[in-house]
Amino acid sequence: DIVMTQSPDSLAVSLGERATINCKSSQSVLYSFNNKKYLAWYQQKPGQPPKLLIYWASTRESGVPDRFSGSGSGTDFTLTISSLQAEDVALYYCQQYYSTPYTFGQGTKLEI
Amino acid sequence: QVQLVQSGAEVKKPGASVKLSCKASGYTFTSYYIHWVRQAPGRGLEWMGIVNPSGGNTTYAQKFQGRVTMTRDTSTSTVYMELSSLRSEDAAVYYCARSYSYYSWIDFWGQGTLVTVSS
């Protein structure tokens, strides 16, 4: 199984400041045939199901504010929130969909 | 609009089985795969498996092999997940969620079903 490890486990950022969450996979999730990185990011608020933010490591889902961005290589990925808003307080998860089981990171709790 | 409506909360005894449902609407049922993901209280997300509503093919996480069965009913656009031999560690919120293909991100989630396992 591909192990996904996020860092940090929790993060406190001031309003308007940048937040950076890292995700590392135990093996590459880059498929050389199409040069796609099989990595997604989700946001989960208390009592709600997760919500898709980013797929293909850097493609923003429709309707997601442009302050959210994703980047990374085959094994190291980053979710960046450029200017933190109050509504961004949540848990954030990365997930690889390169091979089953489609494993998630342990989550990062983002606070103000 | 897309909806994945899950069945209500369940309370089961250890050793019992639970069968959850996930009714899809607002899109072509057979065009999207359905995943099951669970989340124990205060814990992270755990992927359990995937079912193709078109052909019924399934892939389960090794951890759940032999205990989980995912099926679908195309006449009612409903997917089912049955988990047997329940233990306390199976207490969790169970989500169904869809993706447009087998190797694809999840783009929409159901509201979740709470399963409690207690004697």
Side-chain angles (χ1 to χ4, degrees), chain B residues 62-117:
Chain B
Q62 180 73 24
K63 174 177 179 175
F64 301 101
Q65 286 277 1
R67 281 212 302 147
V68 70
T69 305
M70 297 177 188
T71 57
R72 94 288 189 220
D73 181 345
T74 55
S75 69
T76 60
S77 300
T78 301
V79 174
Y80 300 91
M81 191 282 293
E82 184 169 22
L83 188 63
S84 62
S85 303
L86 289 170
R87 30 203 189 239
S88 58
E89 312 89 87
D90 294 318
V93 174
Y94 288 76
Y95 294 102
C96 65
R98 74 167 199 175
S99 65
Y100 85 96
S101 78
Y102 189 88
Y103 291 105
S104 174
W105 58 91
I106 290 172
D107 71 347
F108 192 83
W109 300 68
Q111 85 277 16
T113 295
L114 176 64
V115 174
T116 301
V117 182

Side-chain angles (χ1 to χ4, degrees), chain A residues 38 40 42 44 47-52 55-56 61 91 93 95 97-106, chain B residues 35 37 39 43-47 50 59-62 95 100 102-112:
Chain A
Y38 286 56
Y42 303 90
Q44 186 180 32
Q48 297 183 18
K51 171 190 170 185
L52 175 67
Y55 56 93
W56 294 139
E61 170 72 334
L91 277 161
Y93 294 93
Q95 183 205 20
Y97 46 95
Y98 181 87
S99 67
T100 58
Y102 295 145
T103 44
F104 292 87
Q106 80 277 17
Chain B
H35 305 246
V37 177
Q39 186 170 36
R43 304 292 297 273
L45 301 167
E46 182 173 31
W47 187 86
I50 185 172
T59 300
Y60 304 137
Q62 180 73 24
Y95 294 102
Y100 85 96
Y102 189 88
Y103 291 105
S104 174
W105 58 91
I106 290 172
D107 71 347
F108 192 83
W109 300 68
Q111 85 277 16

Side-chain angles (χ1 to χ4, degrees), chain A residues 4-78:
Chain A
M4 307 299 289
T5 304
Q6 292 182 226
S7 62
D9 289 334
S10 63
L11 179 63
V13 175
S14 301
L15 288 174
E17 295 299 304
R18 177 186 299 260
T20 301
I21 299 170
N22 302 300
C23 173
K24 186 176 183 65
S25 57
S26 61
Q27 62 189 76
S28 177
V29 297
L30 169 64
Y31 188 29
S32 56
F33 179 77
N34 58 11
N35 201 35
K36 295 283 193 183
K37 299 155 195 170
Y38 286 56
L39 189 284
W41 287 98
Y42 303 90
Q43 176 194 66
Q44 186 180 32
K45 297 182 178 179
Q48 297 183 18
K51 171 190 170 185
L52 175 67
L53 296 176
I54 302 281
Y55 56 93
W56 294 139
S58 62
T59 301
R60 200 180 305 114
E61 170 72 334
S62 176
V64 173
D66 61 7
R67 63 180 180 273
F68 290 90
S69 64
S71 64
S73 63
T75 59
D76 292 274
F77 301 93
T78 300

